[in-house]
Amino acid sequence: MTAPAAPTAPRAGLCADRVVAVTGAGRGLGRAHALAFAAEGARVVVNDLGVAPDGGGIHTGDSGGPARAVVDEIVAAGGEAVVHGGDIATAEGAASLVATALDAFGRLDTLVNNAGFLRDRMLVNLDEDDWDAVVRVHLRGHFLPLKHAAAHWRAETKAGRTPVARVINTSSGAGLLGSVGQGNYAAAKAGIVALTLVAAAELGRYGVHVNALAPAARTRMTELTFAEAMAAPGEGEFDAMAPANVSPLVVWLGSAASDGVTGRVFEAEAGRITVMEGWRPGPTDDRGARRSPAEAGETVRRLLADAEKPGRVYGAP
Ligand SMILES: NC(=O)c1ccc[n+]([C@@H]2O[C@H](COP(=O)([O-])OP(=O)(O)OC[C@H]3O[C@@H](n4cnc5c(N)ncnc54)[C@H](O)[C@@H]3O)[C@@H](O)[C@H]2O)c1
C-alpha cells in the first residue's frame, strides 16, 4: 500500500479532481491513456505487471518495471500518480488496484481496463494453455477490476454519495469481426463487449457508465505483425498510429463530460472515431408453427438473400 499523497493545489483540466486507474499502463496504449489523463488533471494509478508480449517473463511487482517509468514521467510533468504492480486477472490484484486508489488518493472515479497479451495460433494448433492464458488476462482481467470497482461504487451509492463513475473496457476489431489466427483473443474480446453491455445495464443505478473501445495503434503488440500498417511517419507527417491518438476518446469517456453515454462500443485509431453498431434482428419469418429441417433451410436461404452481408473477418481470404 502507498501512503496517502499530501494535499495539493487545485487541479485544472477535463479530469481535474478525478482519480483514474489504468491497467497495463506501463506500455503502449495504457501508457498513453495514463499520460493523457494526467495531462487533464487526473491523479492516476498506473498498473502493470511488466510481462513479456506473450504474458511470460519477469513479474516486476510494486518495485519498478514499466509502471514505475510511467509514474516518474507523470510526476516529472507535474502530475500525481502511483504504481500498482499486481496481476489484474487475480482477485487480489483487482482488489488491491481499487485499494491503491483509495489509499493513495481517497477515491476512484474511472477504471480503464486495458492490460493484456497475445498468443496467436491457428485453431488446430492452439493449445489449451494458450486459450486459458489469453482468455484469463483479457476477460477475467476485465471482470475482476470491474467487479471490485463496482462494489466500491455501490457502497458509495448506498452511503448517499452516488458517484460519477466511468469504466472504459478494451475490446478489439478481432472481437467485433473475428481475426484469423486469434481464436482465443477474438473470443475474449467479443466477451468483453457483452460484459460491457451487461455492466452498463446493471451499474447505471450506481452512477457508473461503462463503454468499450476497439483501438488500433503501434505498440509492441502490433508493430511486428502489422509492420506495414503501423509504420512510423515520415518527417513532419501526422503519426497516425501513435497510441496517443486513441487516448483523447478514452479521457473524454472517463470524464464527467460523457454523461449519458453508456453501453456503447467505439473504434478509435489515428484521427478517426467510429460508433460500432452491433447485433440486431435482421430479416425474419415467423410461421407460427414448427418447420421441417428442409423448410427451415428454405426460409434461411430466402432471409439471407435480404440480409446485410457480415463484415470480413480480419485476415480472411
Ligand atoms: N495495439 C493495438 O493496435 C490494439 C488493437 C486492438 C486491441 N488492443 C488492446 O489494447 C490493450 C493494450 O494493448 P497494447 O497494444 O498497448 O499492448 P502492450 O503489450 O504494449 O501493453 C500491454 C501491457 O499490459 C501489461 N499486462 C499484461 N498482462 C497483465 C496483467 N495480468 N496485469 C497487469 N498488466 C498486465 C503488459 O505488461 C503490458 O505493459 C490490450 O487489451 C490489447 O488487446 C490493442
Side-chain angles (χ1 to χ4, degrees):
M1 297 298 159
T2 317
T8 49
R11 312 176 67 80
L14 194 63
C15 291
D17 301 326
R18 289 182 78 77
V19 171
V20 179
V22 185
T23 71
R27 299 187 180 87
L29 284 157
R31 170 181 172 275
H33 302 337
L35 294 173
F37 272 111
E40 288 292 338
R43 290 168 290 170
V44 187
V45 179
V46 178
N47 159 270
D48 206 291
L49 194 51
V51 294
D54 68 352
I58 299 163
H59 295 194
T60 45
D62 284 330
S63 60
R68 167 62 57 199
V70 174
V71 166
D72 290 347
E73 219 175 322
I74 290 172
V75 170
E80 286 181 64
V82 292
V83 170
H84 178 264
D87 179 351
I88 46 75
T90 65
E92 194 285 324
S96 63
L97 177 72
V98 175
T100 298
L102 300 181
D103 289 350
F105 302 125
R107 56 188 298 135
L108 175 66
D109 302 284
T110 297
L111 167 67
V112 181
N113 284 315
N114 164 83
F117 54 79
L118 297 177
R119 293 194 189 174
D120 293 356
R121 302 268 186 287
M122 298 304 250
L123 286 173
V124 291
N125 296 323
L126 188 60
D127 292 340
E128 285 174 48
D129 282 354
D130 294 334
W131 174 272
D132 287 344
V134 168
V135 170
R136 176 184 176 277
V137 72
H138 290 281
L139 199 45
R140 202 174 139 94
H142 270 61
F143 161 60
L144 287 172
L146 172 64
K147 175 187 163 137
H148 285 274
H152 166 66
W153 288 323
R154 182 183 62 175
E156 288 289 289
T157 301
K158 289 194 168 171
R161 298 184 296 266
T162 303
V164 178
R166 304 286 186 256
V167 178
I168 298 95
N169 291 330
T170 307
S171 183
S172 165
L176 301 176
L177 292 174
S179 178
V180 170
Q182 296 193 306
N184 48 359
Y185 179 70
K189 291 301 199 186
I192 286 168
V193 170
L195 178 68
T196 300
L197 302 183
V198 173
E202 287 189 7
L203 302 179
R205 75 188 69 169
Y206 306 129
V208 188
H209 286 3
V210 189
N211 292 286
L213 172 80
R218 182 178 58 250
T219 68
R220 70 175 185 172
M221 192 179 270
T222 52
E223 63 191 346
L224 295 180
T225 319
F226 306 106
E228 205 174 314
M230 298 296 160
E235 182 82 22
E237 286 173 9
F238 173 45
D239 186 0
M241 300 320 291
N245 297 335
V246 175
S247 302
L249 171 64
V250 177
V251 171
W252 184 81
L253 289 171
S255 76
S258 62
D259 185 37
V261 179
T262 190
R264 296 294 191 145
V265 181
F266 301 91
E267 269 196 350
E269 82 173 77
R272 189 169 68 227
I273 294 172
T274 306
V275 178
M276 299 305 285
E277 298 183 325
W279 295 107
R280 63 190 50 169
T284 181
D285 179 321
D286 183 355
R287 162 181 300 199
R290 186 180 301 163
R291 298 172 166 87
S292 70
E295 288 167 339
E298 182 276 321
T299 304
V300 168
R301 295 272 181 215
R302 189 163 37 79
L303 294 178
L304 285 178
D306 293 335
E308 275 189 42
K309 301 281 174 279
R312 192 167 73 85
V313 171
Y314 285 101

